[in-house]
């Protein structure tokens, strides 16, 4: 294993199987494997292999924070106050019903469409501001179309500093790595 | 057309020297023939960056283009061919999904081919040139078929007649003998209009002409066949070189020239050759494959893996034991030498009814025995019929193919000067110049008809 850092950009969250296989393929090659995903509105897929760091840009997104505040933290704080009194049982039942009927519906019908509309997405900027300072990848693997703006930001950042940019590939298979050492 | 001046033809040929595409020889020969016969030829071809990305341009071939021919290269949008993020436009880099959707929309609603933008640029260039000095005729060759659409649009805008040359098939899948697209596909919409309005539609064999004539009966009388042929100026084969009959002791050399593809009956060829080698006349014979294994990396085909893999770690070499030798691609300048050092040529072809294969004309020009390995009823039979050294099992039955390989081997051993002369004579009937004459005559008749109409 080398000290290589590989950053997988999978913002579109549409190729979960491929992401799982690609991250596994560099197990023996990369010292650090990071995946940038966007869990907002993402479909379920296979879990990432052990040792892969997942960075969810949805959690860095102000819109996601607003949703959390409006749907969970605010009402949750109120419910926790009420639960202390004699209304403990009905409040618990109401909270469960609220989670089941209200939060899921509002998330699905209101916030997910907002997340999906590009005009509301700030992914590339968030990655640039909050992710890139923490990593210095040697290889960036672009897993889907939605990740292209993020990859361009990565390259722009290196170009602005006058530093050599990391390699960019659309698959680890095309990155010129010797994958024979990978457990795969 | 004004009196006394040369007729001006606009030739839309995306692949033109120095391209290394296989269809480039027909385009080169057509343009040269027209220039030689008094036409003022302007060619609109692929941009140079495209040729460079496809491999090093063939400058030697470019030098064989008549110097009177004007070649221009309209732009082609790089969307499909740009993979480096640093080269993406700001629009594509920031809104890749929208860019992708736009590209797909253009394929579904404008023109169903990645070369559509070249067609638009070619049309704009043609109109500018036409405004300065009128074209009398447009000749378009496909693929890509954006050139056909350009010819049609140019005709609609200016009234200049056009001829389309189906160097390749568009809506017919040659390997399955069935339509290449579903009924609602926009390719049909385009083809219907292009053939309906064309002054002539040219095909490489009678089977293809018949298929299209059946679909577009109103245009059937304007359809014609111009086979591919071979280029005597590019292929100088010494037909008398080192015949196997001169040295009866040496093992025979069988050869295949061309790309090996998934659709060809490779397994049958290898097994037939293995069986044929057990015959005393073919003892020690080799089958040399000169060309790319086009799909080697992704193919699960064990025999192709055997061809490409070389010796196994235990020292065994199944390909060599079967007499197979993968010689790799051959440059155009070395092709003649390969023919000269091959005793029997193997005509391995995919598909059947509609396939001629450009290679067969060169094979015939070499005056060597040719053994067929393809499905029965292949269109190339039209061309090979009458060639005195053709050995055709007319079947893919391995034993029958092996028998015809043995017969071809024997013929190579017993080859006489008289047989060679006969073979050469047959091949001479398929030189490009000879085959181009009816097309040029048809083009001239379109000009005359236009002049009469005023």
């Amino acid at each position: 294993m080398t000290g290589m850092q590989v950053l997988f950009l999978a913002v579109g969250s549409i190729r979960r199987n491929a992401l799982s296989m690609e991250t596994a393929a560099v197990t023996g090659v990369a010292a650090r494997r990071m995946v940038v995903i966007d869990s907002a509105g993402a479909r379920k897929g296979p879990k990432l292999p052990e040792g892969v760091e997942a960075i969810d840009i949805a959690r860095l997104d102000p819109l996601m924070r607003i949703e959390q505040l409006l749907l969970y933290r605010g009402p949750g704080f109120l419910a926790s106050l009420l639960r202390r009194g004699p209304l403990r049982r009905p409040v618990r039942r109401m909270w469960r019903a609220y989670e089941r009927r209200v939060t899921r519906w509002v998330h699905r019908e209101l916030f997910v469409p907002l997340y999906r509309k590009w005009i509301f997405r700030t992914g590339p900027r968030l990655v640039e501001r909050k992710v890139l300072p923490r990593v210095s990848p040697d290889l960036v693997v672009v897993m889907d179309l939605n990740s292209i703006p993020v990859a361009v930001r990565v390259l722009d950042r290196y170009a602005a500093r006058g530093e050599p940019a990391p390699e960019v590939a659309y698959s680890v298979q095309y990155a010129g790595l010797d994958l024979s050492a990978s457990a795969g | 057309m004004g009196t006394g001046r040369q007729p001006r033809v606009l030739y839309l040929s995306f692949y033109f020297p120095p391209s290394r595409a296989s269809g480039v020889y027909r385009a080169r020969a057509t343009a040269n023939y027209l220039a030689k016969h008094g036409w003022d030829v302007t060619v609109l071809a692929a941009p140079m960056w495209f040729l460079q990305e496809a491999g090093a341009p063939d400058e030697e071939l470019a030098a064989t283009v008549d110097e009177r021919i004007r070649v221009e290269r309209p732009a082609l949008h790089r969307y499909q061919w740009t993979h480096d993020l640093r080269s993406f436009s700001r629009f594509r880099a920031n809104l890749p999904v929208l860019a992708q959707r736009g590209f797909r929309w253009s394929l579904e609603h404008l023109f169903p081919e990645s070369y559509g933008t070249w067609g638009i640029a070619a049309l704009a260039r043609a109109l500018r040139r036409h405004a300065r000095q009128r074209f009398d005729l447009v000749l378009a060759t496909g693929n890509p078929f954006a050139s056909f659409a350009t010819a049609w649009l140019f005709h609609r805008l200016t009234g200049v007649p056009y001829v389309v040359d189906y160097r390749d098939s568009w809506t017919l899948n040659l390997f399955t003998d069935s339509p290449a697209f579903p009924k609602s596909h926009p390719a049909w919409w385009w083809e219907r209009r292009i053939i309906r309005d064309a002054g002539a539609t040219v095909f490489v064999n009678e089977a293809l002409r018949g298929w299209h004539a059946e679909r577009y009966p109103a245009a059937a009388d304007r359809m014609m066949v111009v086979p591919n042929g071979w280029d005597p100026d590019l292929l100088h084969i010494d037909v008398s070189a080192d015949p196997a009959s001169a040295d009866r002791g040496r093992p025979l050399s069988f050869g295949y020239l061309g790309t090996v593809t998934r659709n060809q009956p490779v397994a049958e060829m290898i097994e037939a050759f293995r069986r044929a080698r057990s015959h005393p006349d073919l003892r020690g014979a080799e089958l040399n494959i000169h060309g790319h294994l086009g799909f080697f990396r992704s193919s699960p085909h064990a025999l192709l893996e055997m061809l490409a893999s070389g010796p196994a770690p235990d020292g065994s070499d199944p390909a060599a034991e079967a007499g197979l030798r993968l010689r790799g691609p051959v440059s155009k300048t070395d092709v003649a030498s390969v023919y000269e050092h091959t005793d029997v040529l193997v005509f391995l072809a995919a598909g059947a009814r509609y396939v001629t294969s450009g290679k067969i004309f060169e094979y015939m020009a070499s005056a060597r025995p040719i053994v067929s390995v393809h499905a029965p009823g292949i269109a190339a039979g039209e061309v090979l019929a009458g060639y005195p050294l053709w050995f055709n099992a007319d079947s893919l039955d391995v034993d029958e193919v092996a028998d015809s390989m043995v017969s071809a081997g024997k013929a190579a051993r017993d080859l006489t000067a008289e047989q060679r002369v006969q073979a050469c004579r047959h091949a001479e009937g398929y030189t490009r110049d000879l085959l181009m004459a009816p097309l040029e005559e048809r083009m001239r008749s379109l000009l005359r008809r236009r002049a009469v109409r005023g």
Side-chain angles (χ1 to χ4, degrees):
Chain A
M1 191 185 292
T2 64
M4 184 182 220
Q5 296 191 22
V6 184
L7 178 66
F8 292 89
L9 300 176
V11 179
S13 304
I14 49 174
R15 300 180 62 222
R16 301 294 292 269
N17 284 319
L19 179 62
S20 180
M21 286 191 281
E22 294 261 323
T23 49
V26 292
T27 306
V29 180
R32 193 176 175 198
R33 292 168 291 164
M34 298 148 288
V35 176
V36 177
I37 56 165
D38 183 357
S39 64
R43 292 182 213 131
K44 282 190 177 172
K47 282 188 177 174
L48 295 172
E50 215 170 292
V52 177
E53 300 168 42
I55 303 162
D56 186 356
I57 59 170
R59 295 196 184 282
L60 309 173
D61 195 321
L63 189 62
M64 176 68 97
R65 292 187 173 193
I66 291 168
E67 184 193 2
Q68 294 269 326
L69 186 71
L70 289 178
L71 283 185
Y72 299 98
R73 290 194 182 177
F77 176 71
L78 210 64
S80 68
L81 289 179
L82 292 172
R83 268 206 298 262
R84 289 176 193 159
L87 294 172
R88 197 175 67 187
R89 282 193 176 179
V91 166
R92 192 176 289 163
R93 274 204 305 275
M94 280 171 66
W95 178 254
R96 277 205 293 267
Y98 170 76
E99 272 193 324
R100 203 168 49 241
R101 294 186 181 172
V102 180
T103 60
R104 285 182 196 171
W105 186 87
V106 173
H107 173 76
R108 198 176 57 238
E109 299 297 326
L110 181 64
F111 283 95
V112 169
L114 289 180
Y115 290 135
R116 283 182 176 162
K117 292 226 189 280
W118 63 269
I119 200 162
F120 289 101
R121 303 301 297 137
T122 51
R125 229 177 309 151
L126 283 171
V127 172
E128 190 183 13
R129 280 211 329 260
K130 301 197 174 178
V131 179
L132 291 184
R134 292 157 46 190
V135 301
S136 50
D138 302 291
L139 169 66
V140 176
V141 182
V142 182
M143 295 296 299
D144 50 50
L145 269 182
N146 289 319
S147 299
I148 286 175
V150 180
V152 171
R153 295 262 173 172
V154 174
L155 295 177
D156 286 351
R157 184 185 170 88
Y158 281 88
R161 287 180 182 173
E163 293 174 6
E167 288 288 315
V168 180
Y170 294 98
S171 163
V172 291
Q173 304 293 334
Y174 304 124
L177 300 176
D178 178 11
L179 300 176
S180 55
S182 293
Chain B
M1 192 175 90
T3 51
R5 79 165 169 85
Q6 278 185 297
R8 287 194 81 215
V9 62
L10 173 68
Y11 189 25
L12 298 165
S13 176
F14 186 84
Y15 294 111
F16 197 77
S19 165
R20 285 185 186 271
S22 58
V24 78
Y25 299 100
R26 185 175 172 99
R28 183 200 75 106
T30 306
N32 278 354
Y33 185 89
L34 293 175
K36 197 169 124 188
H37 287 81
W39 292 76
D40 177 357
V41 184
T42 300
V43 179
L44 297 187
M48 283 306 290
W49 67 260
F50 182 87
L51 305 185
Q52 276 150 0
E53 286 197 5
D58 188 343
E59 296 300 341
E60 267 182 58
L61 188 66
T64 65
V65 173
D66 192 304
E67 57 190 21
R68 290 166 290 187
I69 295 168
R70 198 177 304 110
V71 182
E72 298 187 20
R73 301 185 179 277
L76 166 69
H77 199 281
R78 291 176 181 242
Y79 184 89
Q80 183 85 333
W81 292 275
T82 304
H83 306 294
D84 184 354
L85 295 175
R86 296 170 191 89
S87 310
F88 284 8
S89 65
R90 282 180 69 82
F91 174 69
R92 186 178 179 187
N94 288 295
L95 301 170
V97 178
L98 204 59
Q100 174 86 330
R101 281 189 190 155
F103 177 69
R104 285 195 181 149
W105 185 91
S106 72
L107 291 183
E108 283 164 21
H109 297 94
L110 298 179
F111 193 74
E113 208 177 59
S114 309
Y115 306 89
T117 56
W118 178 82
I120 293 167
L123 178 65
R125 183 78 63 98
L127 290 170
R128 276 203 302 276
R129 294 280 171 270
H130 187 67
R132 279 188 211 156
Q133 198 180 0
R134 289 178 62 79
F135 288 111
D136 300 303
L137 192 91
V138 179
L139 174 61
T141 181
N143 66 29
F145 299 99
S147 59
F148 288 8
T150 303
W152 180 75
L153 286 165
F154 188 78
H155 166 74
R156 300 287 288 184
L157 293 168
T158 62
V160 172
Y162 67 95
V163 174
V164 287
D165 177 13
Y166 274 80
R167 200 184 65 239
D168 199 355
S169 170
W170 186 7
T171 51
L172 169 66
N173 184 329
L174 297 178
F175 304 119
T176 59
D177 294 355
S178 59
F181 304 108
K183 274 183 183 168
S184 57
H185 196 275
W188 297 106
W189 187 95
W190 280 101
E191 188 174 67
R192 199 162 51 242
R193 281 155 183 79
I194 287 163
I195 291 184
R196 181 194 66 196
D197 295 344
T201 307
V202 181
F203 300 94
V204 294
N205 60 46
E206 180 52 36
L208 277 173
R209 195 205 65 80
W211 191 86
H212 287 83
E214 205 174 282
R215 264 144 201 85
Y216 307 107
D221 60 333
R222 283 172 278 132
M223 294 179 179
M224 63 186 293
V225 174
V226 177
N228 272 321
W230 61 284
D231 306 280
D233 61 324
L234 292 180
L235 193 70
H236 308 282
I237 302 174
D238 180 1
V239 293
S240 64
D242 189 29
S245 53
D247 179 2
R248 299 187 72 87
R250 78 166 166 79
L252 288 169
S253 169
F254 282 62
Y256 167 77
L257 273 92
T259 304
V260 180
T261 70
R262 184 187 295 275
N263 302 303
Q264 291 168 330
V266 180
E268 288 86 345
M269 176 184 73
I270 293 174
E271 181 55 24
F273 188 67
R274 197 182 61 74
R275 293 186 194 183
R277 281 182 98 220
S278 62
H279 193 279
D281 286 347
L282 265 67
R283 189 167 297 134
E286 280 188 351
L287 173 51
N288 297 295
I289 293 170
H290 303 273
H292 293 281
L293 291 185
F295 57 102
F296 151 60
R297 188 184 282 246
S298 59
S299 170
H301 204 301
L303 287 163
L304 279 168
E305 282 169 15
M306 181 178 90
L307 266 178
S309 62
D314 63 2
S316 66
D317 189 347
E321 283 158 23
L324 301 171
R325 291 275 184 273
L326 185 64
R327 302 292 186 187
V330 186
S331 79
K332 194 72 188 171
T333 48
D334 296 333
V335 164
S337 162
V338 170
Y339 284 121
E340 284 166 14
H341 292 98
T342 302
D343 301 311
V344 178
L345 290 157
V346 177
F347 179 43
L348 174 73
R353 272 180 76 188
Y354 303 101
V355 176
T356 308
S357 169
K359 197 56 72 185
I360 198 62
F361 300 96
E362 282 187 1
Y363 271 30
M364 293 193 305
S366 73
R368 268 32 182 188
I370 297 171
V371 60
S372 275
V373 183
H374 49 68
I378 196 164
E382 289 170 22
V383 176
L384 281 161
Y387 183 72
L389 301 169
W390 182 32
F391 297 85
N392 181 22
D394 208 22
S395 156
L396 277 175
D397 178 82
V398 171
D399 285 324
E400 289 181 36
V401 175
D403 286 346
S404 63
M405 283 178 169
V406 171
S407 305
K410 284 180 180 170
R413 292 269 188 228
D414 302 332
L415 201 56
T416 62
E418 176 59 24
Q419 282 175 310
R420 282 179 178 237
V421 168
Q422 280 177 10
C424 287
R425 204 171 292 146
H426 181 83
E428 275 161 16
Y430 289 96
T431 56
R432 294 261 197 207
D433 271 11
L434 215 58
L435 299 172
M436 284 292 163
L439 172 62
E440 202 254 343
E441 178 48 40
R442 179 69 67 93
M443 288 167 67
R444 288 207 180 261
S445 75
L446 286 172
L447 296 190
R448 283 194 293 272
R449 204 179 305 162
R450 196 156 182 247
V452 169
R453 279 188 203 150

